[in-house]
Amino acid sequence: MNIIKISSFLELIEIVATKNCCGHHVYRGVSDSINHKLIPSIGRANGYLLPDEGEILDSFKKRTYNSLQKHPNSDWEWLALAQHHGLPTRLLDWTSSPLIAAYFATKPEIDEQTGKVNQCCKNGSAIYCLHFCNYLDTETIANPFQIIQPGIFYPPHITERISGQAGLFSIQPDPSVEYRPTYDGDLTKYEFDSNIASEIQSGLFFLGIREDSIFPDLDGFTRGIRTKHAIAECHYKQC
């Protein structure tokens, strides 16, 4: 894996606009460059036995079935849906948009006491960039728990969140280890410290990369309004 240090928001923009332009790059932003590894949530057991993935997914299917207007057609689609609602799975979220990845790497957190944005990313942030040429064919691989090599797949956009985030996923045979691309993949990690993370955070907001566009639902709209009044210097008419 290549590691590149980023010294400004403009440098990040220049890299993704000039070097990563072949159409086969996907990105993943993390808000802790040291501790956030490319390990899926189901595999972060810290020495404990991994949960039974099949049992967890089956429980999700049974509990959500009557709440869904449109039902997934395969376990690949069920996994994608469950991942976006916080269920531990062997999937890792990626996006085709480097700016959306930068948002997740510097996502604003509002202090409940002051209403201001907390200090961004004390351990620095990072954006992983994966270059690859072949997607997994989920039509011919029926069981996502029996894949034999890591890969990337596009889910159908069965939720507005997946669409809003230009989302896609990686999957791997062993979810307890870091994701590593196959021989035809190339992985780069762009790292930046907390000061640059704050610069990127503010720049993204004023470019329109915000919570209410990435999460186009009521929760996202609410958090977007709060973030606006925490980051922007809003002016009010004095009566």
Side-chain angles (χ1 to χ4, degrees), residues 76 90 136 141-151 171-174 179-183:
W76 292 94
R90 65 171 52 204
L136 290 174
I141 305 173
N143 190 340
F145 302 123
Q146 294 180 353
I147 62 166
I148 59 175
Q149 66 179 12
I171 189 169
Q172 59 203 73
D174 185 352
Y179 181 86
R180 286 292 180 266
T182 53
Y183 65 91

Side-chain angles (χ1 to χ4, degrees), residues 197-213:
S198 295
E199 176 190 332
I200 293 173
Q201 180 188 83
S202 178
L204 289 172
F205 176 84
F206 290 108
L207 287 173
I209 309 300
R210 307 172 184 172
E211 193 119 18
D212 44 2
S213 61

Side-chain angles (χ1 to χ4, degrees), residues 28-36 101-109 119-128 192 194 197:
R28 175 174 172 82
V30 296
S31 58
D32 187 329
S33 182
I34 297 174
N35 297 307
H36 289 180
Y103 168 83
F104 282 106
T106 63
K107 184 177 178 181
E109 299 293 341
Q119 178 186 356
C120 184
C121 317
K122 295 180 181 179
N123 289 328
S125 299
I127 297 173
Y128 291 93
F192 39 92
S194 60

Side-chain angles (χ1 to χ4, degrees), residues 85-152:
H85 287 280
L87 194 76
T89 75
R90 65 171 52 204
L91 304 183
L92 276 176
D93 292 277
W94 298 77
T95 174
S96 58
S97 167
L99 294 183
I100 291 178
Y103 168 83
F104 282 106
T106 63
K107 184 177 178 181
E109 299 293 341
I110 308 299
D111 187 293
E112 295 296 334
Q113 300 298 319
T114 66
K116 301 297 183 182
V117 177
N118 288 326
Q119 178 186 356
C120 184
C121 317
K122 295 180 181 179
N123 289 328
S125 299
I127 297 173
Y128 291 93
C129 174
L130 175 64
H131 176 264
F132 68 101
C133 294
N134 296 304
Y135 293 96
L136 290 174
D137 184 0
T138 58
E139 295 293 329
T140 59
I141 305 173
N143 190 340
F145 302 123
Q146 294 180 353
I147 62 166
I148 59 175
Q149 66 179 12
I152 298 288

Side-chain angles (χ1 to χ4, degrees), residues 211-223:
E211 193 119 18
D212 44 2
S213 61
I214 295 174
F215 296 93
D217 52 29
L218 294 180
D219 290 340
F221 300 153
T222 301
R223 291 193 295 268

